[in-house]
Amino acid sequence: MAKREDLRNVAIIAHVDHGKTTLVDQLLRQSGVFRQNEAVAERVMDSGDLERERGITILSKNTAVMYNGIKINIVDTPGHADFGGEVERVLQMVDGVLLLVDAFEGCMPQTRFVLKKALALGKKPVVVLNKIDRPGARPAEVVDEVLDLFIELGANDDQLEFPVCYASAREGYASLEADKPGTDMTPLLEMIVNEIPCPEGDLEGPTQVLFSNIDYDDYVGRIGIGRVERGTIQVGQTVTICGGAEDHHQNARITKLYQFEGLKRVEHPSASLGDIIAVSGIADLNIGQTACATDCVEPLPFVKIDEPTVSMLFMVNNSPFAGREGKYVTSRNLRDRLFKEVETNVAMRVEETDSADTYKVSGRGELHLSILIEQMRRQGYEFQVSRPSVIYHQDKDGKRLEPMELLMIEVPDNYVGAVMEKIGSRKAELLNMGSRESGTTHMEFKIPARGLMGYRSEFLTDTNGNGIMNHVFDSYEPYKGDIQQRVQGSIIAHETGEATAYGLFYAQERGRLFIGPGVEVYEGMIVGANPKTEDITVNVCKKKHATNTRAAGSDDALKLVPHSQLSLEQCLEFIAEDELVEVTPKSIRMRKAILSKELRMKQASKKK
């Protein structure tokens, strides 16, 4: 067994917003990856537009820093459970994990999700308490919380002896003591080198590379990212691709081989045991496949990816405004784009349906699917989507099982009653509750995934925007019974035309509006929310009749209440079963599936 003393492979795991991408920025800056005068964006690892806007990591990224002649490969992982498919694969490539925890917030559900996977795979953890300079930081308590979490997740004795480092990624220092700020990141780099095991294995044996990720480049096609598990691999070498879901064998030639240096992929003639590499030139490479020497074909086992829990229908846009704003509008465009997504997004599934214009897309959660919708919208696609619905399973006795989520809520004490009442009606079960000195209450629930749909906007209203909620998939359990979904009805446009201030003025008495004057609408489009449960149709295009009589004051400006602009996620949460969201590069509209009022009434009377 050979050891690569000059190499360490580590993944950073943390909850959303606990600062892992910022921490990587500092490690890159301080290890001299950037030139002195190089202009570097903040959170340089979040390279996608959506990642920058939302401040979240969606795809895992690779980078490498050099420290005292030792190369440290760092993999930045997503913190959202919806991208859990990413996390599990990434952990295959590393020997240890940096668990980053906010010194104020403590352990959060996604930390728990990723950590559980890492401990089960036997990875060595190093705990970093970040934001140590934040007012109200409570490092000693948080270390105890982390220890409790490790015990709860079944860590072994070696994993429980985790080293702790205290850091402020924003200020760029790490320290071994909570009350003594450091000067730079050296203590953390030292800890990684000393505590994370170096890659071990057979350096002289036949080639074996496990691919855990796929990237796509318009010029060179698919790029496989993986780790050399045995021997060495060279440019020009012929290998056998095997393993993965289908396990069919094919020979391929390695045309280009890259290693990570800083943020760049640098071409190398070869790589050996433990190196994390990128390879181009293998046409049909899939995630989970192994590249082996042709005379020793031994595929490696691959992590089973968790099944999707939520699905929705993607359809060709057939509204009266179809084709006005999008570049790709046909069912062929939609089909090609969805099937291309599945090649690199392993936790997603796409199925064809009875209709040639409709595809069923399943993913790990609403966020997972809404990110895809937003990406497609920005790429010029125009389409419609249905309300997300959960995917049920059946046990061996034929009983219906549904996905359950672990929900963590933190709210100021005076909102606890309102939250408990709402969440109780959604079949949630309280697991744990505790209060913090800062006047907030921390609650943990187990709740059906369908009970969470549409809840976030209600939650923010009930807590005046002061609450924090996070949830993560837990397990499948027997069906919990019916849950009353949306309590509001829709306000629907009566005819096609342009909304007028006069029409909207009389419509606003009926409920909350989603559009302002001058917006083009069509019959059947949803223009607002009615506080009562039934839908109402209003004429928002109505103009004032001209008469020759003038009453004092009647021509004063009509005062309109500011309308609510809904985001894509809010639209998906708002729509009912018989409604759709129309998505184009320029607008997001909600509509009834059946646009004509008469046809809707006929349908309703048939159901009765």
Side-chain angles (χ1 to χ4, degrees):
M1 290 286 274
K3 285 189 174 187
R4 290 277 312 270
E5 295 288 355
D6 61 339
L7 185 64
R8 300 287 184 280
N9 293 328
V10 63
I12 296 196
I13 54 181
H15 183 74
V16 187
D17 287 343
H18 280 200
K20 63 183 176 316
T21 308
T22 311
L23 184 81
V24 175
D25 274 9
Q26 287 295 348
L27 292 175
L28 287 167
R29 282 198 164 87
Q30 296 190 19
S31 61
V33 166
F34 306 124
R35 297 189 312 275
Q36 288 294 307
N37 58 350
E38 192 168 349
V40 182
E42 282 289 307
R43 299 200 326 277
V44 62
M45 295 286 274
D46 282 347
S47 48
D49 293 345
L50 272 174
E51 298 184 310
R52 292 194 156 280
E53 281 169 32
R54 296 177 184 223
I56 61 173
T57 301
I58 295 170
L59 297 170
S60 59
K61 314 285 191 313
N62 299 54
T63 182
V65 301
M66 293 298 292
Y67 176 70
N68 290 349
I70 295 171
K71 182 178 184 182
I72 303 172
N73 277 317
I74 300 172
V75 186
D76 185 11
T77 64
H80 275 94
D82 283 26
F83 309 110
E86 283 281 321
V87 172
E88 293 165 55
R89 302 198 313 273
V90 166
L91 293 173
Q92 293 281 80
M93 297 198 278
V94 299
D95 301 294
V97 292
L98 280 189
L99 172 64
L100 194 66
V101 184
D102 186 317
F104 173 76
E105 287 186 1
C107 300
M108 289 298 230
Q110 270 87 343
T111 323
R112 173 193 199 102
F113 171 81
V114 188
L115 183 63
K116 185 177 178 181
K117 305 277 182 203
L119 295 177
L121 291 167
K123 306 295 178 192
K124 169 83 188 193
V126 167
V127 175
V128 182
L129 284 198
N130 192 24
K131 305 192 185 178
I132 200 76
D133 53 342
R134 181 175 168 175
R138 40 189 194 98
E141 282 174 55
V142 173
V143 171
D144 289 345
E145 281 178 27
V146 173
L147 183 61
D148 291 343
L149 182 62
F150 270 67
I151 294 167
E152 190 185 324
L153 296 178
N156 61 34
D157 293 350
D158 184 40
Q159 288 169 329
L160 286 173
E161 294 292 316
F162 55 82
V164 181
C165 186
Y166 303 93
S168 165
R170 204 178 60 181
E171 299 301 321
Y173 68 77
S175 162
L176 298 179
E177 292 174 44
D179 46 5
K180 288 188 183 167
T183 50
D184 57 13
M185 284 290 176
T186 311
L188 178 58
L189 291 163
E190 282 285 335
M191 192 173 274
I192 293 172
V193 168
N194 297 332
E195 299 288 344
I196 302 288
C198 54
E200 286 185 26
D202 185 354
L203 199 54
E204 306 300 323
T207 305
Q208 204 178 31
V209 180
L210 177 63
F211 291 105
S212 303
N213 219 341
I214 298 280
D215 202 350
Y216 192 86
D217 185 293
D218 288 339
Y219 299 106
V220 297
R222 310 188 81 164
I223 298 171
I225 298 171
R227 166 177 159 143
V228 184
E229 300 289 343
R230 185 175 68 195
T232 56
I233 185 167
Q234 289 164 352
V235 172
Q237 181 179 348
T238 301
V239 290
T240 300
I241 305 294
C242 55
E246 286 88 33
D247 196 19
H248 59 262
H249 293 200
Q250 65 173 59
N251 281 0
R253 192 164 166 275
I254 304 293
T255 53
K256 284 197 170 163
L257 193 149
Y258 308 87
Q259 290 197 30
F260 295 91
E261 290 180 13
L263 292 171
K264 301 180 182 74
R265 289 185 190 144
V266 181
E267 282 196 47
H268 273 253
S270 67
S272 56
L273 171 75
D275 280 324
I276 293 179
I277 59 167
V279 170
S280 64
I282 306 173
D284 301 324
L285 184 66
N286 279 316
I287 286 169
Q289 291 188 312
T290 311
C292 301
T294 47
D295 53 354
C296 179
V297 178
E298 296 174 352
L300 287 158
F302 189 63
V303 168
K304 180 181 164 292
I305 300 230
D306 285 357
E307 290 296 307
T309 56
V310 173
S311 70
M312 62 202 307
L313 298 174
F314 280 57
M315 300 162 239
V316 172
N317 188 9
N318 61 3
S319 84
F321 293 172
R324 284 192 186 183
E325 299 171 352
K327 186 175 170 190
Y328 306 108
V329 295
T330 65
S331 60
R332 176 91 184 261
N333 295 145
L334 186 61
R335 183 184 191 281
D336 292 350
R337 175 65 182 83
L338 290 173
F339 280 101
K340 184 181 171 188
E341 182 68 24
V342 183
E343 291 184 358
T344 54
N345 196 336
V346 278
M348 199 167 269
R349 309 265 183 282
V350 175
E351 299 160 56
E352 301 201 6
T353 62
D354 304 342
S355 157
D357 292 346
T358 306
Y359 299 91
K360 181 181 175 188
V361 182
S362 310
R364 287 293 296 272
E366 286 176 277
L367 181 72
H368 193 193
L369 292 167
S370 71
I371 293 283
L372 169 67
I373 295 169
E374 186 62 46
Q375 282 171 339
M376 286 173 64
R377 187 186 144 201
R378 292 179 184 207
Q379 288 159 3
Y381 287 83
E382 183 176 307
F383 54 99
Q384 302 180 140
V385 293
S386 69
R387 179 185 167 87
S389 58
V390 301
I391 298 171
Y392 295 103
H393 286 187
Q394 283 194 325
D395 64 6
K396 49 185 186 296
D397 306 327
K399 270 211 196 107
R400 187 152 60 145
L401 303 176
E402 66 172 328
M404 301 293 289
E405 302 263 332
L406 184 71
L407 170 69
M408 289 197 184
I409 285 182
E410 204 154 297
V411 289
D413 297 343
N414 50 331
Y415 298 116
V416 172
V419 171
M420 294 286 265
E421 184 186 342
K422 275 279 169 64
I423 210 151
S425 68
R426 292 169 175 265
K427 306 282 186 206
E429 171 193 340
L430 182 66
L431 303 176
N432 206 337
M433 188 169 171
S435 56
R436 298 249 164 97
E437 287 173 8
S438 53
T440 57
T441 300
H442 176 83
M443 297 176 278
E444 283 179 38
F445 298 93
K446 199 180 234 182
I447 182 169
R450 63 200 164 93
L452 277 172
M453 285 182 184
Y455 177 60
R456 187 176 291 273
S457 50
E458 276 186 44
F459 172 75
L460 290 172
T461 309
D462 292 345
T463 60
N464 286 345
N466 290 315
I468 301 169
M469 69 178 262
N470 290 292
H471 53 92
V472 54
F473 172 71
D474 186 60
S475 58
Y476 269 87
E477 287 188 10
Y479 185 70
K480 301 288 182 216
D482 292 340
I483 294 176
Q484 185 197 0
Q485 287 292 352
R486 192 176 90 180
V487 290
Q488 299 169 305
S490 301
I491 299 178
I492 302 159
H494 172 265
E495 61 182 23
T496 303
E498 193 175 288
T500 62
Y502 184 74
L504 290 171
F505 179 74
Y506 289 101
Q508 70 186 12
E509 298 164 7
R510 314 294 291 273
R512 177 169 64 115
L513 294 179
F514 298 150
I515 61 163
V519 174
E520 284 194 86
V521 298
Y522 52 79
E523 183 190 1
M525 182 170 145
I526 297 169
V527 295
N530 176 19
K532 302 195 177 90
T533 49
E534 69 270 8
D535 294 345
I536 49 173
T537 306
V538 295
N539 186 356
V540 290
C541 307
K542 189 163 58 172
K543 290 187 170 67
K544 185 178 177 185
H545 289 296
T547 62
N548 60 0
T549 53
R550 290 277 176 271
S554 68
D555 275 354
D556 286 354
L558 299 169
K559 287 197 169 54
L560 286 179
V561 178
H563 62 279
S564 309
Q565 188 91 33
L566 296 193
S567 68
L568 172 62
E569 273 92 355
Q570 287 169 323
C571 289
L572 292 174
E573 285 185 354
F574 178 80
I575 57 171
E577 294 297 328
D578 62 340
E579 295 168 354
L580 302 171
V581 177
E582 177 187 350
V583 181
T584 76
K586 292 184 183 162
S587 15
I588 295 171
R589 304 183 187 95
M590 293 181 287
R591 52 162 284 191
K592 283 289 182 189
I594 302 171
L595 295 176
S596 152
K597 184 179 178 182
E598 282 143 30
L599 289 177
R600 281 201 304 275
M601 290 170 81
K602 279 181 188 165
Q603 185 98 346
S605 61
K606 269 186 200 167
K607 279 185 182 170
K608 283 176 186 168

